[in-house]
Amino acid sequence: MRIARLRLRDFRSYTAADVRVGPGVTVVHGRNGAGKTNLLEAIYVGCTGASWRTASDRELVRFGADVARVELDTEAEDGAHAFSVGLEPGKRKRLLADGVAVDRLADVATRPLAAVFLPDRLELVKGGPALRRAHVDQVVAALWPARGATRREYGRALAQRNALLARGGPGAEGSLDAWDAELARHGAALMADRSAAVAELAPRFAALAEELGLEGGAELTYRPRVKATDADGFASELRERRARDLERRFTAHGPHRDDLGLARAGRDLRPFGSQGQQRLAVLALLLAEREAIGEVRGTPPVMLLDDAMSELDAGRRERLVARLRGDGGGSAGQSVITTTDLAAVPRADAADTARLAVAEGVVLAEAEANAA
């Protein structure tokens, strides 16, 4: 599957745009503030129905407009597909897949998957465990869509158990056995999914990190809070901690406290890695996910890279673009890269690289781009 066309109406800085996306690498170039990131964000919204930058639809609608629309056309082995997202502040999003209204694009099997790198993604290393848990759960859903509901089921069971703990009272402890069993059942499945995903990614992450120049040996590990590996064992751990949970009035133990470890040379990159090393680790992780998902799903996610080249040296830029292009037998797919300088993107002038120039929220024709 690949994205063939993107159409916008009153999205962010764009009054209207109609863009053809290249089958391989597409480079979006222009000055700072021209609307490059907005174009990348629109692709992501079209793929997922949501923005990575904001939860507010008001921010996505062009200033002075009342509604916005994003439309994606895709091409796949089973034919063409169309997806659209209608945004009107204060109202529910209007999501369509092949003309049929849906509640969530994430549940549509034919939609394109997307992975994003932007400077803020360093929080995946620098930030707290919740970011890394949410990320690995997204990878699980992408690798094995049928398992995507496990995290939601665990969340519902956790909320019910916490509500019971918060109420307290003499009847609370007697009712906890049933919720311990329910939480443990979903929790054991969630831990197994996360463990399987990390096992799939870890060797790829190590190899790609080395390829990109993260020296010293990179490691990706799963750090479960629960020691048990099955539901009965997890339920036993919950019972052992029940008195403390009743005192605190919330569940302090379980996979909602898990973490991922990203390390180089045996040292955690969060406290001990430089910003450059953290940047390479995030890129390696996203590329590892892209490769794994591509093998399982048949098509790798489209990679959206915002200002990924600015802090990489020439050699690492070359290796990154070679990987995105599938040179040397790698998994090729679609990639969209933003830059202020075309010269910063290796092979940006190649015949098989698509180029889009933007200026002040307008996608320029090639002749206009050359004049600019």
Side-chain angles (χ1 to χ4, degrees):
M1 175 184 295
R2 75 175 190 87
I3 298 169
R5 188 177 183 184
L6 169 71
R7 292 186 297 277
L8 305 179
R9 175 68 65 181
D10 291 323
F11 181 88
R12 289 283 192 183
S13 56
Y14 291 89
T15 301
D18 190 339
V19 174
R20 299 284 180 174
V21 182
V25 174
T26 297
V27 180
V28 180
H29 59 102
R31 298 174 181 175
N32 289 326
K36 302 183 299 297
T37 302
N38 293 346
L39 202 64
L40 222 60
E41 181 185 24
I43 295 173
Y44 188 83
V45 169
C47 291
T48 67
S51 166
W52 76 72
R53 298 163 82 184
T54 180
S56 170
D57 289 350
R58 176 69 267 171
E59 295 179 27
L60 301 179
V61 178
R62 186 178 60 84
F63 186 75
D66 296 321
V67 298
R69 189 172 184 83
V70 176
E71 298 178 347
L72 277 185
D73 293 340
T74 68
E75 297 174 354
E77 290 184 1
D78 63 345
H81 298 280
F83 305 89
S84 70
V85 179
L87 302 161
E88 185 173 0
K91 295 186 179 180
R92 189 174 181 179
K93 289 187 182 77
R94 299 183 300 281
L95 307 176
L96 298 178
D98 291 330
V100 178
V102 296
D103 291 328
R104 297 186 344 134
L105 286 182
D107 296 331
V108 179
T110 56
R111 76 175 178 97
L113 302 179
V116 184
F117 175 86
L118 58 155
D120 289 349
R121 294 293 325 248
L122 295 192
E123 284 300 303
L124 198 56
V125 177
K126 294 179 175 181
L131 293 171
R132 292 182 285 277
R133 285 194 299 271
H135 185 78
V136 75
D137 290 339
Q138 290 173 349
V139 174
V140 167
L143 284 169
W144 309 293
R147 304 187 197 181
T150 305
R151 177 63 182 87
R152 295 194 296 273
E153 294 299 326
Y154 177 81
R156 280 193 280 267
L158 178 64
Q160 292 287 347
R161 188 177 191 270
N162 281 340
L164 185 59
L165 291 169
R167 287 197 301 270
E173 186 165 2
S175 301
L176 280 170
D177 284 341
W179 283 113
D180 284 359
E182 185 76 359
L183 190 69
R185 180 168 67 88
H186 294 302
L190 180 59
M191 290 187 291
D193 289 345
R194 289 173 174 173
S195 179
V198 172
E200 185 71 31
L201 297 177
R204 303 173 192 270
F205 171 74
L208 285 161
E210 182 178 5
E211 181 180 316
L212 292 177
L214 184 59
E215 300 171 349
E219 295 177 278
L220 175 69
T221 55
Y222 175 42
R223 297 176 177 174
R225 177 60 64 94
V226 176
K227 294 181 180 179
T229 57
D230 59 24
D232 289 342
F234 181 18
S236 178
E237 291 183 28
L238 287 171
R239 285 193 296 272
E240 291 172 3
R241 292 164 174 79
R242 183 177 294 179
R244 278 174 286 177
D245 285 351
L246 283 165
E247 182 179 344
R248 295 168 176 161
R249 299 202 171 193
F250 67 89
T251 306
H253 185 66
H256 57 288
R257 306 294 294 277
D258 287 351
D259 201 356
L260 290 183
L262 292 103
R264 184 195 71 88
R267 306 187 77 185
D268 193 330
L269 279 166
R270 183 184 183 188
F272 299 114
S274 69
Q275 180 154 308
Q277 290 168 339
Q278 292 170 346
R279 189 181 188 88
L280 291 173
V282 172
L283 282 168
L285 179 59
L286 295 177
L287 289 170
E289 294 162 4
R290 177 179 185 256
E291 185 178 278
I293 292 166
E295 288 185 8
V296 171
R297 301 285 292 269
T299 303
V302 58
M303 286 286 290
L304 307 175
L305 298 104
D306 191 28
D307 194 30
M309 303 294 170
S310 63
E311 294 186 23
L312 298 179
D313 59 42
R316 289 186 171 96
R317 291 175 186 174
E318 290 279 358
R319 290 192 287 271
L320 174 58
V321 171
R323 171 58 59 172
L324 295 173
R325 292 172 59 90
D327 295 348
S331 178
Q334 279 187 297
S335 303
V336 184
I337 304 169
T338 69
T339 183
T340 56
D341 181 10
L342 268 177
V345 182
R347 301 187 66 177
D349 58 351
D352 59 352
T353 298
R355 291 170 296 280
L356 298 172
V358 298
E360 303 303 326
V362 176
V363 180
L364 303 176
E366 192 71 24
E368 295 175 290
N370 292 335

